[in-house]
Amino acid sequence: MSKFLLIVINFMVLITKKEKLMKKIKILILVISVVGLIISCSSEAKQVLAKVDGKEITMEDLNDEIENLPAQYRFYAQSPEMKKRILDNLILTEVLMKEAEKQGMLSNNEIISKIKEQELSMKKDIESQIISLKKRLEKVSKTAKRDVVINSLINNKDFKEIQVSDEEISKLYNQYSSNMKMQNPGAKVESLNTLKEDIRKSIARDKWFNELKSKSKITVDENAFASNLPPPSNLKIMPEEKAKNNKK
């Protein structure tokens, strides 16, 4: 074997060893980063935010309280101001629990019974939510498919082929403007020219929806959501109400 070939082989072996070493270093760095992140999160969770007569309230306690909020409020709870309010509530809770303990309420049989009832009620509520989430999880593929396909279908269409009159646009704009002013008299309503294209597309889209529905065979059970109240002719009128009606 020539010296040149030996040099090439040794060089290739050296490169291969170097590549393996670099891979090991990268993996080691990744592991260290993940461990560091876990330690950091754990350290943050154990961060003491307040103490009430020596009892610690940690970041984990605060985060647990935020998790217990209804989903629509969790976003607002991320602001420093709201976190401070939640922390104040946790502090007040500890103060009140301490006062209740002083008064012997924690050993009161009636209170203990109510605690068990509340615990059972909360467990049932959580179990119900878990069942609901499991059902949603089972249908997630169907829901994702539906959302993506329908959004793409609508967003890729400009509805230019559907006729919409200026009168229809003005009518819908006036309804929108009136609703805005009713909700907030001081609200600034954008001009018709600014919203005209959006309104046109909205009307055209509704017309398209109705057109598609008209081409499909659709049956609806009209009694599915009917009121359980008896018809007006069967309602009993109290004497006082009869007298009022006669006066009218």
Side-chain angles (χ1 to χ4, degrees), residues 117-158:
E117 287 177 8
Q118 178 74 359
E119 183 180 347
L120 184 61
S121 175
M122 291 175 72
K123 280 183 178 179
K124 285 182 178 179
D125 184 47
I126 292 171
E127 286 170 359
S128 175
Q129 291 180 41
I130 290 172
I131 292 170
S132 176
L133 288 172
K134 282 183 177 178
K135 286 181 179 178
R136 288 174 60 188
L137 185 61
E138 289 169 0
K139 297 178 180 178
V140 70
S141 177
K142 178 182 176 182
T143 304
K145 179 181 178 181
R146 179 195 66 191
D147 291 351
V148 171
V149 170
I150 291 177
N151 285 333
S152 298
L153 176 68
I154 295 171
N155 293 336
N156 292 335
K157 192 172 178 64
D158 59 16

Side-chain angles (χ1 to χ4, degrees), residues 11-12 26 41 46 50 55 78 97 110 118 125 127 187 197 234:
F11 181 71
M12 294 299 292
K26 286 179 180 178
C41 291
K46 299 301 179 185
K55 185 170 182 181
Q78 299 306 316
M97 287 298 290
E110 185 181 350
Q118 178 74 359
D125 184 47
E127 286 170 359
E197 179 57 20
N234 293 335

Side-chain angles (χ1 to χ4, degrees), residues 228-241:
N228 292 324
L229 291 173
S233 59
N234 293 335
L235 291 176
K236 294 181 179 179
I237 301 177
M238 299 301 289
E240 295 82 0
E241 292 177 336

Side-chain angles (χ1 to χ4, degrees), residues 52-53 88-106:
V52 179
D53 294 328
D88 288 341
N89 284 336
L90 287 172
I91 291 169
L92 178 59
T93 298
E94 290 299 331
V95 171
L96 292 173
M97 287 298 290
K98 185 179 178 184
E99 180 60 26
E101 189 175 3
K102 277 184 183 179
Q103 296 183 20
M105 294 181 71
L106 300 186

Side-chain angles (χ1 to χ4, degrees), residues 8-191:
V8 170
I9 292 171
N10 287 332
F11 181 71
M12 294 299 292
V13 170
L14 183 63
I15 289 176
T16 303
K17 287 182 178 180
K18 188 176 180 181
E19 285 177 348
K20 288 181 179 179
L21 180 62
M22 289 302 295
K23 283 182 180 178
K24 288 181 180 180
I25 291 172
K26 286 179 180 178
I27 292 170
L28 181 61
I29 291 171
L30 180 61
V31 170
I32 292 171
S33 299
V34 171
V35 171
L37 182 61
I38 293 170
I39 293 171
S40 174
C41 291
S42 176
S43 176
E44 183 183 347
K46 299 301 179 185
Q47 179 187 351
V48 177
L49 302 177
K51 290 183 180 181
V52 179
D53 294 328
K55 185 170 182 181
E56 296 178 347
I57 298 175
T58 65
M59 180 67 78
E60 186 176 10
D61 296 324
L62 179 69
N63 290 335
D64 287 344
E65 200 70 14
I66 292 172
E67 280 299 312
N68 287 331
L69 290 172
Q72 63 267 32
Y73 297 121
R74 285 178 204 155
F75 173 78
Y76 301 103
Q78 299 306 316
S79 70
E81 182 183 353
M82 285 303 298
K83 285 185 177 180
K84 179 66 170 62
R85 290 185 183 182
I86 294 169
L87 178 59
D88 288 341
N89 284 336
L90 287 172
I91 291 169
L92 178 59
T93 298
E94 290 299 331
V95 171
L96 292 173
M97 287 298 290
K98 185 179 178 184
E99 180 60 26
E101 189 175 3
K102 277 184 183 179
Q103 296 183 20
M105 294 181 71
L106 300 186
S107 57
N108 184 295
N109 289 333
E110 185 181 350
I111 296 295
I112 292 172
S113 178
K114 286 183 178 180
I115 290 171
K116 288 180 179 178
E117 287 177 8
Q118 178 74 359
E119 183 180 347
L120 184 61
S121 175
M122 291 175 72
K123 280 183 178 179
K124 285 182 178 179
D125 184 47
I126 292 171
E127 286 170 359
S128 175
Q129 291 180 41
I130 290 172
I131 292 170
S132 176
L133 288 172
K134 282 183 177 178
K135 286 181 179 178
R136 288 174 60 188
L137 185 61
E138 289 169 0
K139 297 178 180 178
V140 70
S141 177
K142 178 182 176 182
T143 304
K145 179 181 178 181
R146 179 195 66 191
D147 291 351
V148 171
V149 170
I150 291 177
N151 285 333
S152 298
L153 176 68
I154 295 171
N155 293 336
N156 292 335
K157 192 172 178 64
D158 59 16
F159 304 101
K160 294 286 188 182
E161 76 282 5
I162 298 174
Q163 295 296 318
V164 178
S165 68
D166 288 341
E167 184 181 353
E168 289 175 303
I169 294 173
S170 296
K171 183 179 178 181
L172 189 58
Y173 173 79
N174 290 334
Q175 290 176 357
Y176 163 76
S177 178
S178 297
N179 288 336
M180 287 291 291
K181 289 176 181 177
M182 190 180 297
Q183 293 174 15
N184 182 6
K188 184 180 178 182
V189 182
E190 293 178 278
S191 68

